[in-house]
Amino acid sequence: MKIKIINPNTTQSMTDSIYGMAVRYADTGTEITAVSPKTGPDSIECYVDEYLAVPGVIQEVIKGDRLEGADAFIIACFGDPGLSAAREVTDKPVLGICESAIAAAKFIAPYFSVVSVLDRSRKVTEDVVKAYGAESFCRSIRTTGMSVLDFGRDPEKGLAALAQQGRKAVAEDGAECILLGCAGFVDFVDALKQELGVPVLDGVMPAVKFAEALVKMGAKTSKANTWKAPEPKAFKGFDGIVDL
């Protein structure tokens, strides 16, 4: 089984951390690859970042489907950028880490909170939680005021900020599970579990396990209508990116 993980931003150190988490939890017979696209922002914190990341995500899914023999794909950004578009260009399972984290959280806790990055990123997270119909399960979306790259520059400060907001989510908001709202937080999961005393999910872990399960079940992405291949047309300015 081959699972291709796409980190939609272009920061290689984050891709490496995501790969390490995925390998840690994947079955022995699962081959994991993790890549960053050639195009896109070096971090994703707003709508412009998300939208500019999507062409690179689509390109990597097409490559994995047509050339690399991937059996499933994971989009490793909590906004799940390009998820529906990616499902149009392959019949293999494509999972987003936000959708996967929410699904897993609903199995193990009645309520969750999301702890994320900049204050301005709150609405982006609200949108994706709403898109998955999870508003009634989400007690709060808390932000640390730190950028994605700030966590890489000062992980000790980042962990402290996540722990502080996580404690508030549990004590003040009634959260019984914490979702980490950035794929770059994978290195903090174990410490936060110990600190907060409730389940902590980063999204990469459940996405890997759900992808393995779907492949083992022989499940394919439906091509009946909504996610069928795009109608043939020219895509100007996207040579080498969108090659259908």
Side-chain angles (χ1 to χ4, degrees), residues 201-217:
L201 297 172
D202 70 281
V204 175
M205 290 183 287
V208 168
K209 304 315 293 183
F210 290 155
E212 288 178 330
L214 288 169
V215 173
K216 289 179 179 178
M217 291 189 295

Side-chain angles (χ1 to χ4, degrees), residues 95-106:
L95 295 88
I97 64 168
C98 178
E99 187 174 30
S100 299
I102 289 172
K106 288 165 69 175

Side-chain angles (χ1 to χ4, degrees), residues 61 65 70-75 82-96 99 211 214-215 217-230:
V61 172
D65 182 74
D71 296 301
F73 301 89
I74 294 170
I75 298 175
L83 180 58
S84 289
R87 287 169 173 165
E88 292 181 352
V89 298
T90 180
D91 67 350
K92 312 294 175 51
V94 186
L95 295 88
E99 187 174 30
L214 288 169
V215 173
M217 291 189 295
K220 299 284 188 179
T221 297
S222 173
K223 296 298 173 181
N225 186 30
T226 306
W227 288 333
K228 66 183 180 182

Side-chain angles (χ1 to χ4, degrees), residues 13-111:
S13 60
M14 194 179 304
T15 304
D16 294 341
S17 293
I18 291 166
Y19 172 79
M21 175 62 79
V23 169
R24 177 180 171 188
Y25 285 93
D27 289 347
T28 304
T30 300
E31 178 184 334
I32 299 288
T33 59
V35 301
S36 286
K38 293 181 180 179
T39 62
D42 59 6
S43 64
I44 298 176
E45 289 143 335
C46 65
Y47 295 105
V48 168
D49 296 341
E50 282 206 352
Y51 296 161
L52 292 180
V54 172
V57 169
I58 295 171
Q59 181 186 40
E60 289 298 336
V61 172
I62 292 172
K63 284 170 55 181
D65 182 74
R66 314 290 198 273
L67 302 175
E68 299 166 350
D71 296 301
F73 301 89
I74 294 170
I75 298 175
C77 171
F78 203 78
D80 291 352
L83 180 58
S84 289
R87 287 169 173 165
E88 292 181 352
V89 298
T90 180
D91 67 350
K92 312 294 175 51
V94 186
L95 295 88
I97 64 168
C98 178
E99 187 174 30
S100 299
I102 289 172
K106 288 165 69 175
F107 287 134
I108 60 176
Y111 299 109

